[in-house]
Amino acid sequence: QLQLQESGPGLVKPSETLSLTCTVSGDSVSSSNYYWAWVRQSPGKGLEWIGNIFFTGNAYYNPSLKSRVTISVDRATNHFSLKMTSVTAADTAVYYCAREADDRSGYYFLASWGQGTLVTVSS
Amino acid sequence: DIQMTQSPATLSAFVGDRVTITCRASQTISNWLAWFQQKPGKAPKLLIYKTSILESGVPSRFRGSGSGTEFTLTISSLQPDDFATYYCQQYKHFRTFGQGTKIDIK
């Protein structure tokens, strides 16, 4: 049974880098069947897809965040990670990791989600 | 950017009611649309993908339809467990979500 667990600091100072890890159990990030994604949710902006990554390391990012975001995958430890630089209060949100599955047409949807972790940006 | 617009923002209904939520895309997304249910303090839960395919374990009272730019989620007979917020999401080009529809008890 797939489990996704986010971990990382719950408090980040403005202008610093937010770093989160998603530990995957019950599946392998090396699978060629899925993408691995990050999504965030804040009261002000609702649900926002941050980006995703394939096991090969190919990553795709929301254009509005692309300049500040890096998603990476670690096949040895079976996790994937998010880094977001130069954070501001607007980046305060619950951050979710998720697995995206193919709907059999080559398009991937957000099939399974972690429980989420709250990250607050404040000095 | 593909914008997703849901209506209504809130909906009050009785148990047993048939309810419909509408989702409009700013450009055609064919049938690459998903619906999620979210309860307070929980992650969104996938209900439907590719417009009308029910995720495993989701009750058959949930039905999705539409194509192009207009989509609907219908709950045929609202149950107590269905009071929640619902989101549509396109996955044709990157991914974007609607702003949500909260269903509460009338």
Side-chain angles (χ1 to χ4, degrees):
Chain A
Q1 182 181 352
L2 175 71
Q3 288 193 329
L4 302 165
Q5 181 66 59
E6 305 88 351
S7 59
L11 181 64
V12 182
K13 290 182 167 53
S15 80
E16 295 191 344
T17 296
L18 178 161
S19 296
L20 295 174
T21 294
C22 182
T23 300
V24 179
S25 55
D27 196 0
S28 171
V29 296
S30 299
S31 171
S32 60
N33 295 322
Y34 305 106
Y35 277 80
W36 305 94
W38 288 96
V39 179
R40 69 181 182 179
Q41 185 171 30
S42 62
K45 291 198 74 176
L47 285 159
E48 184 176 33
W49 181 80
I50 299 170
N52 66 8
I53 192 164
F54 201 49
F55 79 101
T56 54
N58 286 351
Y60 301 89
Y61 302 112
N62 185 324
S64 69
L65 297 170
K66 185 176 183 178
S67 64
R68 299 194 293 127
V69 169
T70 303
I71 297 175
S72 58
V73 64
D74 188 330
R75 297 165 67 175
T77 55
N78 211 39
H79 72 252
F80 62 105
S81 300
L82 168 70
K83 288 191 189 302
M84 181 180 293
T85 61
S86 305
V87 297
T88 70
D91 296 310
T92 294
V94 175
Y95 285 76
Y96 296 99
C97 60
R99 186 178 75 175
E100 296 187 341
D102 186 346
D103 71 0
R104 298 191 179 184
S105 64
Y107 285 78
Y108 287 74
F109 62 96
L110 290 153
S112 304
W113 298 59
Q115 65 185 24
T117 187
L118 174 63
V119 178
T120 301
V121 178
S122 175
S123 54
Chain B
D1 273 24
I2 300 177
Q3 310 299 322
M4 306 301 292
T5 304
Q6 279 182 243
S7 60
T10 59
L11 187 164
S12 295
F14 292 106
V15 171
D17 282 353
R18 177 186 179 92
V19 300
T20 299
I21 299 168
T22 298
C23 179
R24 290 188 174 87
S26 61
Q27 59 186 271
T28 182
I29 58 170
S30 185
N31 59 352
W32 290 300
L33 184 100
W35 289 96
F36 297 88
Q37 177 193 68
Q38 187 177 33
K39 296 182 178 179
K42 300 292 188 182
K45 172 191 170 186
L46 177 69
L47 298 175
I48 288 168
Y49 63 95
K50 209 172 182 181
T51 296
S52 61
I53 300 176
L54 221 57
E55 172 71 341
S56 176
V58 174
S60 59
R61 63 180 179 272
F62 291 91
R63 179 175 175 269
S65 62
S67 69
T69 61
E70 299 264 340
F71 302 86
T72 58
L73 173 69
T74 300
I75 308 172
S76 60
S77 178
L78 204 61
Q79 298 302 300
D81 191 49
D82 301 338
F83 291 96
T85 300
Y86 294 82
Y87 296 93
C88 63
Q89 179 243 323
Q90 67 82 19
Y91 56 96
K92 181 190 177 187
H93 183 63
F94 298 116
R95 289 101 178 88
T96 46
F97 293 86
Q99 75 275 30
T101 295
K102 182 178 181 181
I103 300 180
D104 59 26
I105 301 173
K106 199 168 188 177

